[in-house]
């Protein structure tokens, strides 16, 4: 029988790579803490309705990318394609934002989308996600954008571009939407088939089309900035002023609309110059209509999601540091069979003291044990002499020097040296 492989679009993160992922998550965790965000753990599956209502019926995600199935109780369940809707649901359900309270929440984990797998695009991929709920003013947008920029700064990513736009609100977007329908209707013959279906359902998405012909037409489309209401215009101006005050450079792109329906006002993306086609390492923005779309009271929100798989690709490409790779520091070796028990006891004692220690469990010869010790800084050798004198021979594997240390003092001796 042929070996069963992992499903298409998924992959295993093996030990050679997993410690680098841990570094990214640890850096994120520290950055989140410094910005006052608390971690939240969410279900990986939710009621399908949460996403069809919260992400939007006319988005790529809901139209064609969701992993949806009926569970044994006949309920329609979906593996989460993104985290924002789940975070908002959790905040509403647990009353985190009642009476004007705000909540700053972050989480990380796998997301699922049925897409065509390619470099930087997988069916199970990972996001670090931060959401600031309950604050309507533009300073929250600036804080969220700053947080994502700071995360990438700490990770050492270079050659990034911050792109921002405003997509308006329920007051001004219908007007803009109609302007787009009028404009694109006059260019119907040149639009791709997908965009033709978008024309009535969600014309803003045509702006986002990656097809060359559609792109050319979209470049000439009416400018959203001319349609923004006073409130949206003012909000956007303050976001820009905030970013400038912090010394960040950014690009304006009126064609940045992002796939999700619930976005209002600020939309932004962070692009990497070193990723090719899948060049967005993070995307986010404001979503003041999400809470009501999923049946809650009106709670404004702004957040971002960062694609960890893509961050990883960029960091490898740019030779960024992942800190120190995990390694065994001390190898405990037995000279003869009678010493193996004492070696096992010493190994556990070292480990209890947070020293990464290893010893043989398969019955290797002393020579083979010392070979295995080669990658460590120190070897602790126990044989008949050491047992008799209650000492351990500690060999410094960098310079080959060796000393006898009393058994009671060996842990503190090594702690001081490591
Ligand atoms: P794209 O335009 O690349 O499809 P998106 O707009 O669908 O991205 P978002 O929903 O904004 O992506 O998700 C935020 C981030 O998650 C993206 O910027 C990207 O880094 C990452 N991401 C999204 N989909 C995938 C995927 N299938 N595989 C790997 N990373 C992904
Ligand atoms: Mg996508």
């Amino acid at each position: 029988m042929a070996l069963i492989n992992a499903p298409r679009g998924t992959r295993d993160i093996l030990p050679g790579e997993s410690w680098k992922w841990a570094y990214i998550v640890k850096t994120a965790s520290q950055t989140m803490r410094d910005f006052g965000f608390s971690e939240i753990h969410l279900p990986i599956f939710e009621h399908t309705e949460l996403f069809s209502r919260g992400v939007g019926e006319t988005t790529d995600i809901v139209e064609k990318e969701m992993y949806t199935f009926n569970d044994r109780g006949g309920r329609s369940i979906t593996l989460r394609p993104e985290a924002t809707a789940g975070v908002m649901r959790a905040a509403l359900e647990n009353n985190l934002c009642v009476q004007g309270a705000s909540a700053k929440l972050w989480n990380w984990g796998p997301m699922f989308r049925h897409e065509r797998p390619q470099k930087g695009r997988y069916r199970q991929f990972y996001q670090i996600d931060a959401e600031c709920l309950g604050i309507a003013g533009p300073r929250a947008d600036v804080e969220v954008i700053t947080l994502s920029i700071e995360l990438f700064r700490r990770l050492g990513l270079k050659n990034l571009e911050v792109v921002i736009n405003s997509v308006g609100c329920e007051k001004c977007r219908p007007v803009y939407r109609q302007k787009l329908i009028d404009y694109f209707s006059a260019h119907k013959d040149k639009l791709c088939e997908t965009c033709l279906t978008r024309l009535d359902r969600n014309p803003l998405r045509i702006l986002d089309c990656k097809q060359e012909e559609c792109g050319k037409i979209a470049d000439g489309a009416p400018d959203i900035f001319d349609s923004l209401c006073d409130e949206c215009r003012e909000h956007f101006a303050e976001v820009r002023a905030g970013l400038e005050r912090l010394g960040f450079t950014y690009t304006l792109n009126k064609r940045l609309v992002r796939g999700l329906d619930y976005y209002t006002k600020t939309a932004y993306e962070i692009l990497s110059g070193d990723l090719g086609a899948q060049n967005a390492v993070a995307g986010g923005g404001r979503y003041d209509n999400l809470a009501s779309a999923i049946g809650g009271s009106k709670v404004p929100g702004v957040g971002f999601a960062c694609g960890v798989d893509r961050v990883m690709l960029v960091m490898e490409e740019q030779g960024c540091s992942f800190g120190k790779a995990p390694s065994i520091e001390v190898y405990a070796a037995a000279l003869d069979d009678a010493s193996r028990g004492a070696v096992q006891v010493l190994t556990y004692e070292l480990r209890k003291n947070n020293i990464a220690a290893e010893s043989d469990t398969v019955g290797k010869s002393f020579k083979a044990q010392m070979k295995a010790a080669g990658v460590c800084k120190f070897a602790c050798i126990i044989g008949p002499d050491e047992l008799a004198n209650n000492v351990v021979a500690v060999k410094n594997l960098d310079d080959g020097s060796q000393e006898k240390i009393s058994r009671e003092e060996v842990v503190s001796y090594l702690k001081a040296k490591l």
Side-chain angles (χ1 to χ4, degrees):
M1 195 174 78
L3 178 70
I4 299 163
N5 291 326
R8 192 165 133 77
T10 72
R11 67 223 155 90
D12 306 303
I13 312 292
L14 300 173
E17 208 192 343
S18 61
W19 65 275
K20 299 180 179 176
W21 284 67
Y23 172 79
I24 294 174
V25 174
K26 192 172 141 214
T27 306
S29 170
Q30 282 164 350
T31 313
M32 298 293 172
R33 192 207 59 179
D34 295 348
F35 278 72
F37 282 66
S38 311
E39 193 168 6
I40 181 169
H41 297 278
L42 297 167
I44 281 178
F45 60 87
E46 298 266 7
H47 291 297
T48 301
E49 240 189 319
L50 176 71
F51 303 115
S52 49
R53 288 213 256 145
V55 178
E57 296 282 2
T58 61
T59 59
D60 278 353
I61 291 181
V62 174
E63 278 176 348
K64 50 187 192 213
E65 295 174 358
M66 294 203 305
Y67 278 92
T68 298
F69 58 95
N70 284 335
D71 73 3
R72 284 166 196 273
R75 287 167 289 255
S76 182
I77 291 293
T78 294
L79 300 184
R80 62 182 189 190
E82 55 96 53
T84 311
V87 173
M88 182 59 96
R89 180 209 44 75
L92 294 169
E93 195 172 331
N94 297 287
N95 298 317
L96 303 186
C97 293
V98 284
Q99 289 168 346
S102 57
K104 301 205 283 185
L105 305 166
W106 81 278
N107 71 99
W108 92 282
M111 306 296 154
F112 305 86
R113 294 184 194 177
H114 195 276
E115 304 197 69
R116 198 168 65 79
Q118 52 201 290
K119 189 182 172 204
R121 194 178 289 292
Y122 312 98
R123 291 182 174 174
Q124 174 170 337
F125 61 100
Y126 296 80
Q127 285 185 341
I128 293 166
D129 175 272
E131 312 291 350
C132 173
L133 308 181
I135 304 170
R139 271 197 297 277
D141 309 41
V142 174
E143 183 163 280
V144 161
I145 298 173
T146 307
L147 167 59
S148 54
I149 293 174
E150 175 61 10
L151 171 62
F152 294 140
R153 191 192 68 78
R154 291 190 191 189
L155 291 172
L157 268 67
K158 295 169 283 286
N159 202 6
L160 294 181
E161 186 188 6
V162 179
V163 185
I164 66 170
N165 191 21
S166 173
V167 294
C169 66
E170 67 274 16
K171 274 180 273 162
C172 52
R173 194 152 50 194
V175 180
Y176 181 58
R177 194 175 178 276
Q178 193 53 51
K179 281 192 195 169
L180 283 182
I181 294 178
D182 295 344
Y183 172 81
F184 285 122
S185 295
H187 296 86
K188 251 185 179 163
D189 50 321
K190 295 200 195 76
L191 294 179
C192 73
E193 242 168 74
T194 324
C195 283
L196 282 177
T197 67
R198 287 169 177 159
L199 191 52
D200 294 316
R201 301 189 66 204
N202 190 350
L204 265 81
R205 296 270 322 282
I206 303 177
L207 297 172
D208 195 30
C209 184
K210 302 288 182 287
Q211 301 278 339
E212 209 186 319
E213 272 300 297
C214 298
K216 277 190 208 153
I217 298 166
D219 278 335
D223 204 317
I224 181 126
F225 300 120
D226 299 331
S227 298
L228 292 181
C229 63
D230 288 347
E231 187 190 322
C232 287
R233 193 186 304 276
E234 176 72 7
H235 187 98
F236 194 53
E238 285 187 34
V239 171
R240 293 181 56 179
L243 295 177
E244 283 155 27
R245 204 176 295 128
L246 288 157
F248 299 137
T249 49
Y250 59 83
T251 329
L252 293 178
N253 184 350
K254 62 173 186 180
R255 286 183 50 198
L256 174 73
V257 292
R258 309 193 27 78
L260 316 179
D261 276 354
Y262 54 63
Y263 278 96
T264 53
K265 295 179 177 159
T266 316
Y268 83 104
E269 252 174 9
I270 300 187
L271 309 178
S272 164
D274 295 292
L275 265 183
Q278 275 66 53
N279 63 347
V281 285
R286 178 164 282 283
Y287 44 88
D288 293 346
N289 293 333
L290 170 62
S292 30
I294 62 171
S297 53
K298 203 165 166 54
V299 173
V302 55
F304 78 89
C306 145
V308 184
D309 309 73
R310 292 187 195 172
V311 167
M312 192 67 205
L313 285 170
V314 177
M315 287 180 73
E316 293 282 14
E317 177 80 29
Q318 297 182 344
C320 297
S321 163
F322 293 94
K324 206 164 105 348
S327 60
I328 296 292
E329 299 165 296
V330 176
Y331 195 95
L335 256 176
D336 62 353
D337 282 343
S339 313
R340 289 188 192 271
V343 162
Q344 195 164 36
V345 172
L346 174 63
T347 306
Y348 182 42
E349 198 176 318
L350 291 165
R351 289 170 174 170
K352 275 200 287 192
N353 284 279
N354 300 109
I355 295 173
E358 192 59 282
S359 56
D360 168 54
T361 47
V362 297
K364 280 184 187 153
S365 69
F366 179 67
K367 202 171 150 206
Q369 291 176 60
M370 289 309 285
K371 197 166 166 222
V375 293
C376 303
K377 291 200 185 83
F378 289 94
C380 284
I381 302 162
I382 301 181
D385 277 1
E386 285 76 18
L387 280 182
N389 297 312
N390 201 28
V391 294
V392 173
V394 177
K395 183 168 183 172
N396 180 327
L397 295 166
D398 289 335
D399 61 17
S401 64
Q402 188 166 315
E403 309 179 54
K404 299 239 172 183
I405 308 292
S406 94
R407 177 66 182 77
E408 284 75 41
E409 278 159 25
V410 69
V411 169
S412 50
Y413 173 86
L414 285 167
K415 274 196 130 169
K417 294 265 177 186
L418 287 166

